[in-house]
Amino acid sequence: MLQLRKSGERGRIQTDWLNSHHSFSFGSYYDPRFMGFRSLRVINEDAIAPKGGFPTHSHQDMEIITYMISGTLEHRDSMGNLEIIHPGELQRMSAGTGIQHSEFNASGSEPAHLLQIWIEPKERGITPGYEQRFVRDVVQPGNLGLVVAPEGKGGALTMHSDARLYAGILEKNQKLTYILPPKHHAWIQMIRGKLSLNRTSLQAGDGAAISEEDQLQLLASKSSEFLLFELY
């Protein structure tokens, strides 16, 4: 079973510095049909104008992942981290017992384009944590690269949740098949390009929830980049 979430049907919040598209209900955007999928709670595609950003705010008991598509983002938090996130880098932050952080476009002239992802942890009240890594070098065209996983398996960043996150790149006419274990689910989030998923067309910004399927067959009709979440 496959449920398509078209890019143009997502919720949208626009201000003088932020253009954000929400795959799931978030903030002032509410859609009872899209409250999340399994432990996946937020996928926001954010475009942040130069010098714009989110002032210091709090999080608790959530796995927060930022994937930079283009531009740069300055991150500061109450754990003492001060980092710049560059294109192709992925940041994982475990909010746990509570953190405060801010995020601002690090450029005075170029917009920042990113995906912000929230996944529910399997345990509450853990010690907050932070990791950041360039991940595009583990993704070979035509294959999936494991970038976040429980206990950092396979050299991935650590996820305190029953989920795995893969990044994928397919050049035009490349295809791959992913075997989904029994009773597991998946969500695919398109970043760029166009491909078919089990003969359903997906384009940039589209998402798809997959349940009760034993394999995912992907074929790119143009160069494509996407994320694949395996959810237990």
Side-chain angles (χ1 to χ4, degrees), residues 3 5 23-27 29-43 118 120 187:
Q3 182 182 20
R5 179 56 155 157
S23 295
F24 306 119
S25 295
F26 182 85
Y29 169 66
Y30 175 73
D31 186 335
R33 301 171 303 162
F34 294 97
M35 300 299 293
F37 181 66
R38 310 297 296 180
S39 59
L40 184 57
R41 285 293 171 263
V42 171
I43 301 179
W118 295 6
E120 289 188 345
W187 178 279

Side-chain angles (χ1 to χ4, degrees), residues 86-152:
H86 298 89
E89 286 191 321
L90 189 148
Q91 175 205 77
R92 187 276 307 170
M93 187 168 58
S94 296
T97 54
I99 55 140
Q100 291 186 322
H101 77 135
S102 64
E103 300 163 296
F104 280 87
N105 187 336
S107 171
S109 59
E110 299 295 329
H113 186 195
L114 58 111
L115 291 176
Q116 185 173 110
I117 299 152
W118 295 6
I119 300 177
E120 289 188 345
K122 61 182 178 182
E123 293 182 47
R124 296 183 177 273
I126 66 172
T127 301
Y130 182 97
E131 289 181 288
Q132 180 178 327
R133 187 175 303 162
F134 184 76
V135 296
R136 280 186 181 157
D137 57 356
V138 305
V139 185
Q140 300 299 318
N143 294 286
L144 294 172
L146 181 63
V147 294
V148 191
E151 301 176 357

Side-chain angles (χ1 to χ4, degrees), residues 7-232:
S7 174
E9 297 173 356
R10 295 177 294 177
R12 186 183 183 191
I13 300 296
Q14 189 167 20
T15 70
D16 58 347
W17 60 268
L18 175 66
N19 185 12
S20 182
H21 292 83
H22 304 334
S23 295
F24 306 119
S25 295
F26 182 85
S28 61
Y29 169 66
Y30 175 73
D31 186 335
R33 301 171 303 162
F34 294 97
M35 300 299 293
F37 181 66
R38 310 297 296 180
S39 59
L40 184 57
R41 285 293 171 263
V42 171
I43 301 179
N44 291 348
E45 182 178 355
D46 292 340
I48 302 174
K51 300 182 180 179
F54 301 94
T56 301
H57 56 284
S58 300
H59 293 288
Q60 188 173 351
D61 289 323
M62 193 66 68
E63 298 293 289
I64 301 172
I65 296 167
T66 299
Y67 183 77
M68 286 302 300
I69 300 170
S70 62
T72 53
L73 194 70
E74 180 184 284
H75 166 95
R76 295 174 182 261
D77 65 41
S78 54
M79 294 178 283
N81 296 299
L82 170 56
E83 301 288 348
I84 302 295
I85 312 173
H86 298 89
E89 286 191 321
L90 189 148
Q91 175 205 77
R92 187 276 307 170
M93 187 168 58
S94 296
T97 54
I99 55 140
Q100 291 186 322
H101 77 135
S102 64
E103 300 163 296
F104 280 87
N105 187 336
S107 171
S109 59
E110 299 295 329
H113 186 195
L114 58 111
L115 291 176
Q116 185 173 110
I117 299 152
W118 295 6
I119 300 177
E120 289 188 345
K122 61 182 178 182
E123 293 182 47
R124 296 183 177 273
I126 66 172
T127 301
Y130 182 97
E131 289 181 288
Q132 180 178 327
R133 187 175 303 162
F134 184 76
V135 296
R136 280 186 181 157
D137 57 356
V138 305
V139 185
Q140 300 299 318
N143 294 286
L144 294 172
L146 181 63
V147 294
V148 191
E151 301 176 357
K153 291 182 179 178
L157 276 69
T158 300
M159 175 110 67
H160 299 284
S161 178
D162 289 331
R164 291 172 178 250
L165 174 57
Y166 297 86
I169 294 175
L170 291 177
E171 302 298 349
K172 184 177 180 179
N173 296 325
Q174 280 190 323
K175 60 183 178 180
L176 66 81
T177 298
Y178 184 77
I179 304 301
L180 200 58
K183 298 183 180 180
H184 284 209
H185 308 260
W187 178 279
I188 287 184
Q189 185 65 39
M190 290 291 294
I191 296 173
R192 61 177 174 86
K194 183 178 181 180
L195 55 77
S196 67
L197 165 64
N198 294 359
R199 299 186 178 180
T200 296
S201 179
L202 297 178
Q203 303 185 59
D206 289 351
I210 304 106
S211 297
E212 300 175 3
E213 300 279 352
D214 57 4
Q215 63 180 17
L216 310 180
Q217 296 182 333
L218 299 108
L219 171 63
S221 54
K222 61 190 298 186
S223 181
S224 299
E225 182 177 6
F226 60 94
L227 298 180
L228 188 157
F229 300 82
E230 183 182 330
L231 305 161
Y232 305 178

